[in-house]
Amino acid sequence: PGEEVEVILELKSIADVALVGYPSAGKSSLIAAMSRVRPKIADYPFTTLQPNLGVVEAGSVRYTIADVPGLIEGASEGKGLGHEFLRHIERCSVIAHVLDTATLESDRDPIRDLEVIMNELRAYSADEAISGVPLAERPQVIVLNKIDVPDGRELAAMVRPDLEALGLPVYEVSAVSREGLRELSFALAAMVERERAAAPALEKAPIVLRPKAVDESPFTVSRVTDGGEVVYQVRGSKPERWVKQTDFRNDEAVGYLADRLAALGVEDALFEAGAVPGSVVVVGPLDGGVVFDWEPTMTAGAELLGRRGTDLRIEEYERGHRATRAERRQAFKERMDAKAAARQELWTERDAGHWIDPSADDEDME
Ligand SMILES: Nc1nc2c(ncn2[C@@H]2O[C@H](COP(=O)(O)OP(=O)(O)OP(=O)(O)O)[C@@H](O)[C@H]2O)c(=O)[nH]1
Ligand SMILES: [Mg+2]
């Protein structure tokens, strides 16, 4: 029989380089200028809602580049579909921050923009099993875009020293005039090659499927016919393990096993399956399991009837033992008779007032 499993597979875009930045920074314009993809470009935020994937050729190096939808402050908390978008960066080994230099009139500037995005990357807890390195710790570059705009070029020159002070390579480009793009694409190619050499196993990592744990029944009881004989078969890792661990020469151990099986519900299940005292019960496989003639534990009476465990007769089953089953049944019957007699004696004593049954009903206490 096969096993039923539940699997969640998540597809994440995979690219060597992720273009990351505020909406309208020019990410789609850049991927269009550097590769053959032609994504939608517009002057309103969140034009891109699904990443576009492009192939860049720089000399002999081919690598993929993705323009991730724009991020805003609070993206790591889900703002502006932040989770959705940050997820796409997870399987990119190099992060290129695209900063808009044509923002002079607004309340934004490249330095502040970078800080915001960096904070979001730091706050985003990626799926370590898939991505390995936290986003904020991946190799990063700064791309100052829109230097074709006069104010943009000026602003880029102003902020460059501060950005370089962060230890990140800085490239001034224009997706419109294509200035600086060749240099940028070769620089990215070199970074990608370094990453590929450093982590060759990343893409080839084996796919691990973790089946969701199912709350399965700890055992099954089935009524089977074995060689013309009706046998109640108990299967289940717990009962089978317990039986294997039991030393059947030790009455205490056998009693303990009986208690555990009863607590697990095996007795009730046997009753339900139609087993009666004396029925043949096999715990484990029919061949090689442990077989015994079933004698239900006497929940209230067991303590009163002598040493713990003497009631339950269990024998390790081996091939060839079946012939003796009739004898064992006979012995069992005799023991049951003896027990019935002992029980009768106890009741007689109780009725005579020698002792009080603590489990008896109130009316019996009178
Ligand atoms: N002058 C100038 N404008 C640019 C440049 N790059 C992009 N733009 C303009 O900036 C606007 C936004 O460009 P997109 O490429 O759509 O920006 P995006 O980063 O992909 O934006 P979202 O998809 O919304 O995140 C468009 O009007 C572009 O024409 C550039 O280098 N120079
Ligand atoms: Mg876009």
Side-chain angles (χ1 to χ4, degrees):
E3 282 185 21
E4 202 174 294
V5 294
E6 229 175 84
V7 179
I8 298 170
L9 292 177
E10 190 175 29
L11 293 176
K12 300 185 189 226
S13 71
I14 305 167
D16 295 305
V17 180
L19 297 177
V20 175
Y22 262 91
S24 298
K27 302 176 292 299
S28 297
S29 303
L30 279 170
I31 199 173
M34 294 172 78
S35 73
R36 300 169 84 97
V37 270
R38 293 292 171 260
K40 189 173 174 191
I41 293 165
D43 61 357
Y44 53 83
F46 297 113
T47 305
T48 306
L49 291 174
Q50 292 292 328
N52 301 292
L53 216 59
V55 177
V56 180
E57 285 182 49
S60 60
V61 185
R62 275 166 69 98
Y63 58 93
T64 51
I65 186 165
D67 81 325
V68 176
L71 299 174
I72 54 171
E73 194 161 4
S76 60
E77 290 150 26
K79 263 192 199 151
L81 293 182
H83 287 148
E84 183 86 357
F85 297 169
L86 281 160
R87 217 159 44 86
H88 298 303
I89 312 171
E90 278 190 63
R91 297 203 72 176
C92 300
S93 45
V94 174
I95 294 174
H97 291 279
V98 181
L99 300 177
D100 193 339
T101 61
T103 55
L104 212 51
E105 300 299 308
S106 74
D107 58 347
R108 280 174 41 202
D109 70 80
I111 301 278
R112 218 194 82 79
D113 287 1
L114 179 66
E115 268 169 22
V116 169
I117 300 299
M118 287 276 218
N119 279 335
E120 298 307 327
L121 294 190
R122 271 190 284 269
Y124 178 70
S125 51
D127 186 345
E128 300 264 321
I130 290 171
S131 52
V133 186
L135 299 188
E137 287 164 30
R138 300 197 189 177
Q140 302 179 36
V141 293
I142 305 291
V143 180
L144 290 163
N145 188 34
K146 307 191 187 179
I147 56 163
D148 59 291
V149 178
D151 287 346
R153 189 180 296 274
E154 220 170 285
L155 186 57
M158 261 170 59
V159 297
R160 179 185 259 277
D162 288 345
L163 294 170
E164 280 174 342
L166 296 173
L168 298 171
V170 179
Y171 297 91
E172 293 175 41
V173 303
S174 163
V176 168
S177 72
R178 308 184 66 94
E179 187 181 345
L181 290 187
R182 196 178 145 79
E183 197 193 345
L184 173 64
S185 73
F186 275 84
L188 290 174
M191 290 179 83
V192 166
E193 285 220 294
R194 233 176 291 143
E195 288 309 301
R196 283 177 185 167
L202 187 69
E203 296 300 324
K204 293 186 195 110
I207 294 169
V208 180
L209 300 180
R210 289 179 218 286
K212 206 172 113 188
V214 178
D215 191 22
E216 59 181 19
S217 166
F219 67 89
T220 59
V221 171
S222 41
R223 187 177 185 276
V224 295
T225 310
D226 184 29
E229 232 180 335
V230 171
V231 174
Y232 294 88
Q233 189 181 23
V234 180
R235 298 303 311 253
S237 59
K238 273 186 183 173
E240 286 179 38
R241 194 174 65 241
W242 294 346
V243 162
K244 273 199 201 117
Q245 289 166 349
T246 301
D247 174 7
F248 290 97
R249 288 160 305 181
N250 181 340
D251 285 342
E252 277 289 330
V254 172
Y256 179 59
L257 170 66
D259 290 348
R260 283 176 111 179
L261 290 175
L264 191 64
V266 173
E267 289 221 321
D268 295 342
L270 280 167
F271 268 122
E272 262 170 50
V276 293
S279 292
V280 177
V281 172
V282 180
V283 179
L286 289 181
D287 236 354
V290 176
V291 69
F292 54 93
D293 294 336
W294 188 45
E295 183 180 344
T297 55
M298 301 297 163
T299 323
E303 253 69 37
L304 306 173
L305 289 171
R307 276 192 300 151
R308 262 179 73 119
T310 50
D311 291 347
L312 195 66
R313 192 174 60 146
I314 302 182
E315 280 183 43
E316 241 171 307
Y317 175 70
E318 287 162 20
R319 260 189 182 287
H321 273 201
R322 278 170 204 227
T324 69
R325 224 177 247 161
E327 296 167 38
R328 287 190 284 132
R329 280 235 184 75
Q330 184 56 35
F332 167 74
K333 194 174 168 301
E334 282 166 14
R335 205 179 302 182
M336 280 301 278
D337 291 347
K339 206 157 81 172
R343 196 184 288 121
Q344 188 52 52
E345 197 169 346
L346 287 170
W347 286 112
T348 314
E349 283 181 18
R350 196 199 67 154
D351 289 345
H354 291 309
W355 52 273
I356 291 164
D357 180 1
S359 69
D361 294 329
D362 286 348
E363 53 172 356
D364 291 333
M365 302 282 284
E366 290 164 7

